Amino acid sequence: MSNITSVDISRLKNGEVNLGTSIMAVQFDGGVVIGADSRTTTGSYIANRVTDKLTHIHDRIYCCRSGSAADTQAVADVVHQHAQVYTSVYGSAPPVATAAALFEKMCYDNKDQLSAGIIVAGWDKEAGGSVYNIPLGGGMFQQPWAIGGSGSTYVYGYCDATYREGWNEEETVQFVKNTLALAMSRDGSSGGCIRMCVITKDKVERHFVPGNELPRFWEGKEVVGGNTSGQRVAVAA
Amino acid sequence: MELNGGSVVAMIGKDCVAIASDLRLGNQQVGIASNFDKVFPVNDKLYYGLPGLATDVYTLREHLRFRVNMYRMKEEREITPKTFTHLLSSTLYEKRFGPFFIEPVVAGLTTPTPLDPNPKPYISTMDTIGCITTPKDFAVAGTAADKLYGVAEGLWEPDLEPEDLFETISQTLLNAVDRDALSGWGAVVHIITHDKVITRTLRARMD
């Protein structure tokens, strides 16, 4: 069991790409909303600023990936294949719980080699919308809402204080958008734009919030030190 | 150098110079302050930027303030950009075997004198132990230095007027720090001309 008393952000191999990230999924009556930022970093270089971290597993099952980009892509590909085989063999879509169990098995059995934090979410006819959080050790936790990635640590308080049961789709989307915006603001490894997916019985609807339309919160007023008689100017980018 | 993050860039224009920095202060990945300016004035013709370890930013700033004040009292004149650069360089070399974790950037206009009636605008940069470089175009430093090199090389051209230089340096800074996880969270630009200094805060990405 490797060191559990301190965080080792250099755990990735040299040059390996990191999905230092903010991801979340929230269940509502009728389905789930999943969301993620779009930043992939190699050290402090932003290798991809428009990443899609919401990965298709099955028609109504998606997962959000955080940790090593390579590890999570590999695991998601395997589970995607298992889900297709399930459909061929059993004739219907796998429940979200089954997909989550497949993820859990891979993440737990290979826990020493992998650096993967995954949130599985979707809709199935047995359970309706459900969210499963599979953090680093490979444990599986079904929750009404789950957050993950390096940016999630900054928004636990916000989520605890804001979440309410019984929201509709629109209120849930707004909750995800605000939470991710806050995490992306504070966490250096998260940023870019917000990608969201609303998954219900009838549809999988993708939403995109570009960087300049992110909700903005308190950013402070004055600049300390230096010479700042200046005015705020928007430079067209 | 990768603890607090932050970047500075300076550029030469036609009878003007510009110097700009981001406003982020972080602790590795977490951002703490979005009002941490890294560019300071010596006087209204000479500015310098100190990207790197935040505690050394403050210490060096105070150290230089003392040294410049002593210079002003003894010489009874304002210090020139070139002399200030050398002052900064020797301050850094004094700590050769336990250095300040700062890579300074200096930008200023030299006042004309009978011996030098048409002085060129001046920028310089140095490493953590004071090796001076005096480029003719732009100077970059900080965690986004590599990205700043790339964008500046693409956008800079000689003899830019103050308004055009503002646009160029702003785009250089903004787009370079947007590719760096440790820089950003706001930006400030100073354009220095012979009659005034214009300071503008840019509306930047806050992620």
Side-chain angles (χ1 to χ4, degrees):
Chain A
M1 187 146 69
S2 40
N3 191 355
I4 56 170
T5 54
S6 63
V7 176
D8 184 9
I9 59 165
S10 57
R11 211 195 135 166
L12 294 164
K13 294 192 284 296
N14 227 332
E16 197 183 348
V17 163
N18 179 16
L19 287 175
T21 273
S22 303
I23 51 174
M24 72 187 288
V26 185
Q27 173 193 330
F28 67 95
D29 190 26
V32 293
V33 178
I34 62 167
D37 73 307
S38 66
R39 181 171 288 185
T40 310
T41 48
T42 314
S44 67
Y45 175 65
I46 300 169
N48 188 351
R49 62 192 180 108
V50 289
T51 325
D52 183 4
K53 302 180 189 177
L54 306 179
T55 305
H56 168 101
I57 300 298
H58 205 262
D59 291 348
R60 296 285 182 275
I61 308 176
Y62 273 66
C63 73
C64 322
R65 304 179 289 115
S66 72
S68 157
D71 288 351
T72 55
Q73 281 176 13
V75 172
D77 284 350
V78 171
V79 176
H80 182 259
Q81 189 198 17
H82 278 311
Q84 289 183 313
V85 169
Y86 182 106
T87 307
S88 302
V89 170
Y90 295 100
S92 62
V96 185
T98 307
L102 290 166
F103 267 108
E104 182 210 13
K105 181 150 178 51
M106 291 211 67
C107 291
Y108 179 76
D109 287 349
N110 297 294
K111 60 156 66 192
D112 290 335
Q113 270 86 283
L114 292 175
S115 175
I118 293 174
I119 299 179
V120 188
W123 181 91
D124 60 54
K125 58 180 179 327
E126 292 91 348
S130 46
V131 171
Y132 293 84
N133 195 356
I134 302 164
L136 244 42
M140 183 168 80
F141 306 93
Q142 202 234 325
Q143 302 165 265
W145 56 273
I147 55 178
S150 55
S152 66
T153 53
Y154 309 111
V155 290
Y156 273 104
Y158 175 78
C159 289
D160 286 339
T162 314
Y163 176 73
R164 297 275 173 278
E165 279 172 37
W167 275 337
N168 62 25
E169 177 187 318
E170 199 186 305
E171 288 163 320
T172 311
V173 167
Q174 196 54 39
F175 174 58
V176 170
K177 204 194 291 188
N178 285 340
T179 308
L180 288 175
L182 284 164
M184 284 156 71
S185 178
R186 279 285 173 177
D187 181 27
S189 306
S190 305
C193 44
I194 295 180
R195 294 192 193 278
M196 288 183 281
C197 245
V198 180
I199 307 171
T200 63
K201 172 168 183 270
D202 307 310
K203 62 175 184 188
V204 171
E205 198 176 70
R206 272 195 176 258
H207 293 272
F208 176 76
V209 183
N212 59 336
E213 285 170 32
L214 290 173
R216 282 171 84 138
F217 299 88
W218 176 82
E219 278 157 22
K221 274 185 278 186
E222 340 142 357
V223 177
V224 169
N227 180 4
T228 48
S229 48
Q231 0 101 244
R232 202 164 259 266
V233 175
V235 178
Chain B
M1 296 285 286
E2 304 267 303
L3 182 67
N4 300 124
S7 308
V8 173
V9 57
M11 284 189 172
I12 288 194
K14 188 150 179 65
D15 296 324
C16 59
V17 283
I19 183 164
S21 79
D22 70 322
L23 292 176
R24 184 180 182 270
L25 170 77
N27 192 337
Q28 292 192 324
Q29 300 308 107
V30 64
I32 308 285
S34 56
N35 61 354
F36 189 71
D37 199 356
K38 300 160 194 76
V39 175
F40 310 104
V42 176
N43 56 49
D44 60 0
K45 294 257 176 4
L46 178 56
Y47 279 64
Y48 63 99
L50 300 176
L53 194 64
T55 179
D56 286 345
V57 171
Y58 282 137
T59 307
L60 244 192
R61 186 187 68 180
E62 291 305 290
H63 203 83
L64 288 168
R65 193 166 66 89
F66 168 72
R67 288 223 161 158
V68 169
N69 283 343
M70 289 307 297
Y71 183 94
R72 223 179 252 133
M73 280 196 283
K74 291 184 191 177
E75 300 258 332
E76 292 178 19
R77 65 187 174 101
E78 285 300 319
I79 192 170
T80 63
K82 184 162 175 228
T83 311
F84 177 77
T85 298
H86 285 82
L87 177 65
L88 225 191
S89 168
S90 20
T91 308
L92 293 174
Y93 199 80
E94 273 172 3
K95 301 263 183 274
R96 169 64 176 83
F97 298 110
F100 288 113
F101 291 107
I102 305 271
E103 284 172 339
V105 176
V106 178
L109 294 175
T110 317
T111 34
T113 62
L115 278 171
D116 185 16
N118 256 335
K120 291 212 273 287
Y122 183 91
I123 56 170
S124 68
T125 182
M126 54 205 97
D127 64 4
T128 53
I129 46 176
C131 170
I132 305 170
T133 316
T134 319
K136 294 184 177 51
D137 38 20
F138 48 84
V140 305
T143 50
D146 291 350
K147 296 80 157 174
L148 283 163
Y149 274 126
V151 194
E153 195 68 59
L155 295 183
W156 187 87
E157 51 186 74
D159 291 327
L160 286 165
E161 294 294 328
E163 291 311 306
D164 299 327
L165 187 65
F166 167 71
E167 290 296 328
T168 305
I169 199 174
S170 300
Q171 288 300 326
T172 303
L173 183 64
L174 252 28
N175 289 292
V177 304
D178 286 347
R179 276 285 181 176
D180 181 21
L182 303 178
S183 296
W185 255 25
V188 176
V189 182
H190 307 271
I191 309 288
I192 307 162
T193 54
H194 279 288
D195 30 275
K196 56 183 188 254
V197 177
I198 309 171
T199 300
R200 295 186 184 93
T201 313
L202 304 181
R203 191 177 140 88
R205 292 185 71 100
M206 301 299 276
D207 62 5

